[in-house]
Amino acid sequence: MKAAAATLCCLVLVLGAIVREGACSKPNVLFVVVDDLRPQLGCYGEDYMVTPNIDQLASKSVLFERAYVQFAVCSPSRTSFLTSRRPDTTHIFDLLTYFRNFTANFTTLPQHFKDNGYATQSVGKIFHPGIASNNTDDYPYSWSFPAWHGSTEKYMYKRCCPGSDGQLHKNAVCPVYNMSLVPEGTLPDLQTTEYSVQWLKDWAAKGTDQPFFLAMGFRKPHQPLRYPAKYLDLYPMSKISLAPNNFFPPYLPPVAWNPYASLRLNEDVMRLNVSWPYGPIPTDFQLKMRQSYSAATSYTDTQLGILLDTLDREGFADNTIISLIGDHGWSLGEHEEWCKFSNFDIAVRIPMIIHVPGVTSPKAPPGKTFPFIDPLEQTGRSGNANTDKSDQSHHSHTQEQGTKCDGGGDCRSAGGYVTQALVEAVDLFPTLSELAGLTVPPTCPPDDAQVALCSQGSSLVPLIKNLTEPSYNMTLAWKQAVFSQYDRPSYFPQQDSDGPRWFNVKIMGYSMRTAHHRYTEWVAYDVDTFTADWTKLYARELYLHEQDPEENWNMAEVTSQQDLVTQLSGQLRAGWRAALPKEL
Ligand SMILES: *[C@@H]1O[C@H](CO)[C@@H](O)[C@H](O)[C@H]1NC(C)=O
Ligand SMILES: *[C@@H]1O[C@H](CO)[C@@H](O)[C@H](O)[C@H]1NC(C)=O
Ligand SMILES: *[C@@H]1O[C@H](CO)[C@@H](O)[C@H](O)[C@H]1NC(C)=O
Ligand SMILES: *[C@@H]1O[C@H](CO)[C@@H](O)[C@H](O)[C@H]1NC(C)=O
Ligand SMILES: *[C@@H]1O[C@H](CO)[C@@H](O)[C@H](O)[C@H]1NC(C)=O
Ligand SMILES: *[C@@H]1O[C@H](CO)[C@@H](O)[C@H](O)[C@H]1NC(C)=O
Ligand SMILES: *[C@@H]1O[C@H](CO)[C@@H](O)[C@H](O)[C@H]1NC(C)=O
C-alpha cells in the first residue's frame, strides 16, 4: 500500500499538481455513465441546451470532442469499456450474455480498483443489469458491496404514464406532471441520486483513509422519456427544431439501417402507424421526442449537479478524479432514424469529460468547486441557437468550450481544456488506472482471452499532460483511427435488426473514424468461430467529414473515391493495433 501511494505522489507531481507535504493519499474516483447521452450539451457547443452542472464540470476538466464507443448498444458497449476489450474479444453482442461465463474471466475497471484496496460501489446502471451481469451487476467480482438500484427501475417498461383517458400508458414521451401518479411516487434517477448522496455523506462520516470508486449510472435520457415535466419549461415547443438532416440517406445500404423496433413498442409511437421498416415518424412527434430528450437531459444534469455538490461539500472534490461518459449516442431523427443500433457518428460518438483535481483545475476549499446550479433557474437560456442569450457567463463559457481549440491555449481562460484527439471508451480503464497511480494494464497480446488484466485501449494521460503542463514534450502521434462495430441478422431490415441474439448474427459492420472520414464495411460473420470473413463483403459506406459532417452521402461506390476506399479499407482491416499512438 505504501509503495502504491508513493507511486501516486510521483504521478501527481508529474501531472503538475501542488502536492502538500504529508497530504498524499490515493485519489477517489467518481465514475459517471449516462444512458443514451449524446454530446448534446452546452459544453459541447449546443447553446440551446441547459446543462449548467455538466458545463461546470467540463470547465474544470478535459473535454474530449471526438470520443467513440466500440458498439452502439448498452451491454456490448459497457462490457467493452468496463473490461477495456473490444467486442470482437468480449463476444458480447446482445443484452443477455455474461462475459465471465461466455468468454473469459477478464478483470474489470472497478475490479482493478477493488483489487488495489479501493471500496467500489455501483449505484444505478453501470453494468447492463440482469442476465448480462449474472443478475448481480458482476458483484462480488467488481464491487465491494452489492450493487444498488432504485426500487422504481422495475417500472421502466411498464404502463405508468397517466393519459387524458385516466388510464396508465406505456409511452415514449412521458413527462410527469404529478409525481404522486407514478409508481411509488418517485423516479429511478431521483432514487439513485439520493442514495449516492447519502453514501458520500456516510463515507465522509466514517473518516476512513480507504479511497472509493463510486460508479453512478443515470437512466435518463434513455427512452421512455419519463422525467419531471417542469423541465419542459426550458424547451418551449416553439423553439424546438427537427434534425437538420431528417431525411433518408439516399445511398445507404439496407444493412446499415436500424428500424428502431424498441421505440415502436411504445403505445404513443404505435398509434402513429409508422411504416415498417423505414418510417418516417410524423414531424410533430419528432419534435416531441426532441423536446423530451432535451428536457430529460436537463433533469439528469440536475441529479449530477446534486451529486457533485455533495462530493464537494463533503470535502472530497480536491481528491476525486471524475469521469463522465454516455454509453453511446442516439439518433433523434437524423437520417430519419431513431435510437442507437448503428455505426453512424450520431450513434457511436459520446460525451467524455475527465476531471483531475489540481491538474485540470486548481484545488479549492470545500463547496467552491462544484456548487449546484439549478437548470430551472437559468432563465433566458432556453430555446435554439438564435435565442437571445441574456446569461453572459453561460454564453462566454459555452463559446470557450465550444471553441475548437486543441492544445490548451484558448481554453485555459475558461478553465477547461478541449481536445480533438481521437479517443475511445476502451481508453478509460488504463487512463483512470494511471491517474490513480495503479498498475496500468499493458496492451493486450494478440491472443488475450486468458490474460485477465490487459487493455485494448491507450491511457489518455499523455493527452491530459500535453494540455495541462505547459512544458510537456509530447513525443507521441495520437491514434490515427478509432473503431466501432455493429451486428445484423440479415442484409435487409427485419424485426431483430437492431439487436439480434448473438447466435443469429450473420453480418458485422466494422466502422472506422479517422480525422476526416468514416469508413465502414459490412462483412459476413461466423458466430461458431467469432470471426469475420472479409472476402464476403455486403456493403461499404464512406463519408467525407469535411464536406459532409452529418454523414448523409455515402460515397463508397463513387468512381472518383476508389483510391481512398482502397486506402481506408486497408487501414480498417489492419485494425486498432495498427492505429495505436506511435512515438514520433
Ligand atoms: C476469475 O478471476 C477471479 C480473480 O480475478 C478469481 O477470484 C476467480 O476465481 C476466477 N474465476 C474463475 C472461474 O476462474
Ligand atoms: C453468478 O451467479 C451464480 C449464482 O447466482 C454464482 O454461483 C456464480 O458464482 C456467479 N458468478 C459467475 C462468474 O458465474
Ligand atoms: C454463469 O455460470 C454459473 C456457474 O455455472 C451459473 O451459476 C450462472 O447462472 C451463470 N450465469 C449466467 C448469467 O449465465
Ligand atoms: C396529483 O394526483 C393526486 C392523486 O390523484 C391528487 O390527489 C393531487 O391533487 C394531484 N396534484 C396535482 C397538483 O394535480
Ligand atoms: C392508424 O391505424 C388505425 C387502424 O388502421 C387507424 O384507426 C388510425 O386512425 C391510424 N392512425 C393514424 C395516426 O394514422
Ligand atoms: C500537444 O500539444 C501541442 C501544443 O499545444 C499541440 O499542437 C498538439 O496537437 C498536441 N498533441 C496532441 C496529440 O494532442
Ligand atoms: C522532446 O523529446 C524528444 C524525444 O525525447 C527530443 O528529441 C526533443 O528534443 C524534445 N524537445 C524539446 C523541446 O524538449
Side-chain angles (χ1 to χ4, degrees):
M1 290 291 268
K2 279 231 161 63
T7 315
L8 164 78
C9 288
C10 297
L11 273 160
V12 172
L13 276 171
V14 169
L15 279 163
I18 304 132
V19 178
R20 283 157 298 166
E21 264 174 67
C24 192
S25 60
K26 276 191 181 184
N28 306 305
V29 177
L30 177 64
F31 185 73
V32 182
V33 182
V34 187
D35 216 358
D36 288 11
L37 181 68
R38 62 191 213 162
Q40 181 185 311
L41 300 165
C43 55
Y44 275 83
E46 303 283 356
D47 282 359
Y48 62 96
M49 287 302 296
V50 188
T51 51
N53 295 290
I54 300 177
D55 299 352
Q56 174 169 261
L57 172 64
S59 77
K60 297 171 188 222
S61 303
V62 173
L63 179 152
F64 295 87
E65 279 262 14
R66 292 176 171 181
Y68 293 88
V69 291
Q70 279 46 76
F71 206 105
V73 71
C74 294
S75 188
S77 174
R78 289 166 188 255
T79 304
S80 171
F81 65 68
L82 288 164
T83 61
S84 199
R85 322 258 177 153
R86 292 161 199 270
D88 265 357
T89 300
T90 65
H91 301 165
I92 300 304
F93 303 146
D94 63 26
L95 308 183
L96 297 171
T97 310
Y98 178 43
F99 70 94
R100 291 194 198 273
N101 280 22
F102 192 67
T103 314
N105 195 16
F106 301 132
T107 300
T108 69
L109 166 62
Q111 184 181 1
H112 188 44
F113 278 78
K114 181 170 168 259
D115 290 350
N116 281 276
Y118 275 70
T120 62
Q121 170 78 60
S122 171
V123 181
K125 183 172 172 182
I126 296 296
F127 282 92
H128 192 82
I131 297 171
S133 52
N134 208 28
N135 296 307
T136 60
D137 302 73
D138 200 42
Y139 173 80
Y141 300 95
S142 288
W143 312 109
S144 312
F145 316 103
W148 197 85
H149 290 279
S151 57
T152 59
E153 280 193 17
K154 60 178 172 290
Y155 307 116
M156 181 152 177
Y157 295 116
K158 297 275 159 54
R159 290 166 200 275
C160 39
C161 306
S164 47
D165 57 0
Q167 305 291 310
L168 291 175
H169 296 276
K170 173 177 155 27
N171 288 341
V173 174
C174 180
V176 175
Y177 289 91
N178 184 341
M179 202 59 89
S180 57
L181 296 179
V182 299
E184 300 181 33
T186 186
L187 297 170
D189 290 335
L190 299 175
Q191 291 187 297
T192 47
T193 302
E194 234 170 76
Y195 184 86
S196 297
V197 161
Q198 194 56 49
W199 195 94
L200 287 170
K201 288 183 178 169
D202 291 349
W203 199 261
K206 268 169 104 174
T208 168
D209 282 342
Q210 188 183 19
F212 62 77
F213 181 105
L214 176 61
M216 175 64 175
F218 292 106
R219 286 285 187 164
K220 292 303 107 173
H222 193 290
Q223 66 93 4
L225 295 162
R226 185 153 63 241
Y227 59 91
K230 59 191 176 186
Y231 292 96
L232 280 171
D233 296 349
L234 298 170
Y235 306 98
M237 198 44 115
S238 58
K239 305 259 175 72
I240 303 296
S241 54
L242 295 168
N245 57 333
N246 76 327
F247 57 84
F248 184 85
Y251 306 106
L252 189 75
V255 69
W257 179 258
N258 69 274
Y260 51 89
S262 53
L263 187 68
R264 296 171 195 246
L265 296 175
N266 291 290
E267 291 174 41
D268 50 355
V269 180
M270 251 184 248
R271 268 201 304 278
L272 303 169
N273 300 340
V274 178
S275 99
W276 179 267
Y278 293 113
I281 283 182
T283 52
D284 60 337
F285 197 81
Q286 294 192 28
L287 292 169
K288 275 193 186 170
M289 285 287 296
R290 290 174 67 85
Q291 179 190 38
S292 274
Y293 184 89
S294 296
T297 301
S298 292
Y299 160 60
T300 299
D301 182 81
T302 305
Q303 309 319 310
L304 179 74
I306 292 168
L307 182 64
L308 293 182
D309 183 84
T310 305
L311 183 86
D312 191 2
R313 281 169 196 266
E314 295 300 328
F316 292 125
D318 69 354
N319 194 33
T320 302
I321 295 160
I322 303 169
S323 158
L324 180 135
I325 55 166
D327 66 342
H328 42 68
W330 225 77
S331 316
L332 282 164
E334 290 85 3
H335 311 117
E336 234 167 55
E337 283 201 295
W338 298 86
C339 309
K340 44 262 185 174
F341 315 131
S342 85
N343 276 321
F344 280 122
D345 244 57
I346 200 86
V348 292
R349 183 167 165 247
I350 53 164
M352 187 192 279
I353 296 169
I354 297 178
H355 169 81
V356 190
V359 173
T360 60
S361 77
K363 296 188 178 189
K368 299 287 185 203
T369 308
F370 299 118
F372 175 66
I373 311 167
D374 188 348
L376 295 168
E377 285 171 13
Q378 306 296 296
T379 50
R381 304 222 325 231
S382 58
N384 60 25
N386 304 321
T387 312
D388 168 45
K389 299 184 191 71
S390 47
D391 186 326
Q392 284 304 318
S393 67
H394 174 77
H395 183 43
S396 65
H397 167 76
T398 311
Q399 272 197 336
E400 300 282 4
Q401 285 298 318
T403 305
K404 304 278 184 262
C405 67
D406 195 344
D410 291 347
C411 294
R412 280 208 123 129
S413 51
Y417 299 90
V418 179
T419 175
Q420 294 205 57
L422 289 164
V423 303
E424 303 176 279
V426 284
D427 297 336
L428 285 168
F429 189 160
T431 303
L432 296 174
S433 300
E434 185 169 354
L435 288 172
L438 310 187
T439 309
V440 182
T443 302
C444 292
D447 182 10
D448 60 357
Q450 299 317 315
V451 184
L453 181 67
C454 68
S455 167
Q456 297 184 346
S458 308
S459 169
L460 302 173
V461 167
L463 288 177
I464 296 174
K465 284 186 188 172
N466 194 44
L467 289 163
T468 58
E469 279 179 35
S471 62
Y472 184 69
N473 182 1
M474 181 68 143
T475 58
L476 292 170
W478 208 250
K479 289 182 182 178
Q480 297 302 297
V482 288
F483 299 83
S484 306
Q485 65 194 81
Y486 210 85
D487 57 354
R488 298 283 183 228
S490 57
Y491 181 70
F492 290 101
Q494 61 183 44
Q495 279 301 329
D496 63 344
S497 286
D498 294 340
R501 286 303 313 276
W502 67 267
F503 42 81
N504 290 327
V505 173
K506 301 272 187 330
I507 301 172
M508 190 66 76
Y510 288 96
S511 194
M512 175 180 78
R513 178 75 158 86
T514 65
H516 303 298
H517 306 109
R518 171 168 297 286
Y519 179 72
T520 304
E521 290 191 8
W522 297 89
V523 297
Y525 194 82
D526 179 357
V527 289
D528 293 330
T529 56
F530 288 98
T531 49
D533 182 350
W534 291 88
T535 65
K536 290 198 186 128
L537 183 66
Y538 285 87
R540 304 180 294 188
E541 293 169 82
L542 167 64
Y543 301 102
L544 310 179
H545 264 260
E546 272 165 42
Q547 295 104 297
D548 180 25
E550 293 169 352
E551 302 182 334
N552 298 326
W553 309 99
N554 178 14
M555 305 292 276
E557 308 308 328
V558 174
T559 312
S560 62
Q561 299 298 337
Q562 291 317 299
D563 286 350
L564 180 59
V565 166
T566 304
Q567 179 215 314
L568 292 173
S569 178
Q571 199 179 348
L572 177 68
R573 290 163 189 229
W576 63 270
R577 280 176 201 281
L580 288 174
K582 286 190 180 54
E583 289 291 334
L584 284 169

